[in-house]
Amino acid sequence: MSEADAATSVNVAEKLGFKSGDLIQEFGYDDDVDFDLRDDIEDLTGSELLEEEDHDVVDAVIFWWREGDGDLVDTLVDSLTTLTEGGVVWVLTPKSGRPGYVSPSDIQDAAPTAGLHCTTSAGVSKDWSATRLVTRKNK
């Protein structure tokens, strides 16, 4: 990877809102994830991504979510048990035309049921897109 490519991928981790010292929990890890993005998040935060089984309070959650992975609402609700107040959930899905593609409407439909709200979407790598979810504010 060239220095320019490395800078671009670190910028993606920064654009996701991660910063040094953040604890990030990862769900849906498999051999098809974007390993460069994972490494860049770990480099930026200064710590390894926590696994699904970890019970630490985290600043953010990343999901690698594919068609056929199960019930997105249930998984989103499960992720909220360790998410700090004001924390962010990023759902990473394969881009259109890739195996496991998930329609953005599936995420938009699942989010409110899980008590979350979609705020933005972005391409984060050649094969993956990301959708940012936040908890709904109680008024």
Side-chain angles (χ1 to χ4, degrees):
M1 176 184 294
S2 74
E3 192 171 314
D5 290 340
T8 301
S9 55
V10 168
N11 288 340
V12 171
E14 289 174 355
K15 286 179 185 177
L16 293 176
F18 303 136
K19 60 190 179 308
S20 180
D22 281 352
L23 286 179
I24 314 296
Q25 188 169 22
E26 177 182 44
F27 289 79
Y29 175 87
D30 206 340
D31 60 2
D32 65 344
V33 302
D34 187 304
F35 291 99
D36 290 335
L37 178 58
R38 289 182 83 254
D39 290 344
D40 293 335
I41 293 169
E42 290 177 341
D43 289 346
L44 181 64
T45 61
S47 63
E48 292 184 7
L49 296 173
L50 299 175
E51 298 177 1
E52 293 180 35
E53 298 79 22
D54 290 321
H55 297 289
D56 297 25
V57 174
V58 297
D59 301 294
V61 170
I62 62 169
F63 274 102
W64 303 97
W65 193 260
R66 305 148 199 90
E67 181 65 38
D69 275 355
D71 187 317
L72 182 56
V73 172
D74 287 346
T75 306
L76 289 171
V77 169
D78 289 347
S79 75
L80 299 177
T81 60
T82 57
L83 187 64
T84 190
E85 185 175 331
V88 175
V89 175
W90 283 98
V91 179
L92 299 145
T93 57
K95 288 185 175 179
S96 180
R98 308 291 196 292
Y101 170 73
V102 175
S103 169
S105 64
D106 291 348
I107 299 168
Q108 292 168 351
D109 291 346
T113 306
L116 296 164
H117 175 72
C118 295
T119 62
T120 189
S121 296
V124 292
S125 72
K126 180 178 69 112
D127 295 318
W128 292 88
S129 294
T131 302
R132 182 178 184 265
L133 307 176
V134 296
T135 56
R136 293 180 173 268
K137 302 283 186 214
N138 293 332
K139 296 186 178 187

